[in-house]
Amino acid sequence: MVELDFAKSADGLLPAIVQDKESGEVLMLAYINRESWQMTLDTGKAHYWSRSRNKLWLKGESSGHVQLVKDIFVDCDLDTVVFKVEQSGGAACHRGYRSCFYRRVVSGELEVQGEPVFDPAKVYG
C-alpha cells in the first residue's frame, strides 16, 4: 500500500487536488487524513476530512454527487495527492457550480464564470 507522509502536517491533513478525469478541469481542493485516504482506496469513492465539521466526509453523502476516483497521483514528497474523478451529478461545489473555482479575479473583483448546475437550497434543504 502507498504510505503518504501524514507526519509532515501538524494536524495530519494533506491536500487533495480534485480534477475531472476527462477534461482535466480542477473541481476542488480538499484535505485527507489517514482514515479518509484508506476509505478512498477501499471504496473507490472520494473521502475527505472536513475541517469545518471536524469529521470524515464522503463526497456526495448529502447531495448524491459522489466522486468516483479513476486515478490517483502522488507528489514527490508523498504529501499531496491528485484525484482524477468522474463527478456524478455534474457538480462538485456545494454552491451548485461544477467546480469550486467558479470565480475569476478580473480588475480586482470576483467575476462568476458559468451557471450553477443545481440549486443548493433544494439539495441541502
Side-chain angles (χ1 to χ4, degrees):
M1 179 174 99
V2 176
E3 285 293 328
L4 299 178
D5 194 352
F6 289 98
K8 283 189 178 172
S9 169
D11 56 9
L13 299 177
L14 301 179
I17 302 161
V18 184
Q19 289 183 292
D20 181 89
K21 167 76 173 148
E22 296 302 317
S23 70
E25 177 183 20
V26 176
L27 300 176
M28 58 185 273
L29 171 74
Y31 292 89
I32 58 171
N33 63 4
R34 286 185 192 282
E35 183 181 14
S36 58
W37 171 242
Q38 191 60 55
M39 291 292 293
T40 298
L41 295 176
D42 290 347
T43 67
K45 295 177 182 176
H47 287 74
Y48 304 105
W49 182 258
S50 171
R51 295 178 305 161
S52 61
R53 293 177 283 174
N54 201 35
K55 70 173 205 156
L56 184 69
W57 156 52
L58 165 65
K59 176 65 176 162
E61 65 189 355
S62 299
S63 67
H65 300 165
V66 176
Q67 293 174 340
L68 301 176
V69 178
K70 300 301 183 176
D71 279 317
I72 301 173
F73 291 82
V74 179
D75 79 333
C76 57
D77 293 325
L78 297 171
D79 63 0
T80 302
V81 298
V82 176
F83 291 160
K84 301 267 187 164
V85 303
E86 179 182 307
Q87 177 67 59
S88 66
C93 181
H94 73 283
R95 295 187 182 224
Y97 290 87
R98 171 144 177 81
S99 168
C100 292
F101 299 96
Y102 64 92
R103 296 175 290 191
R104 184 175 84 163
V105 176
V106 177
S107 300
E109 301 291 327
L110 291 177
E111 181 180 276
V112 172
Q113 305 291 297
E115 299 292 325
V117 175
F118 69 88
D119 180 354
K122 290 181 181 173
V123 171
Y124 301 114

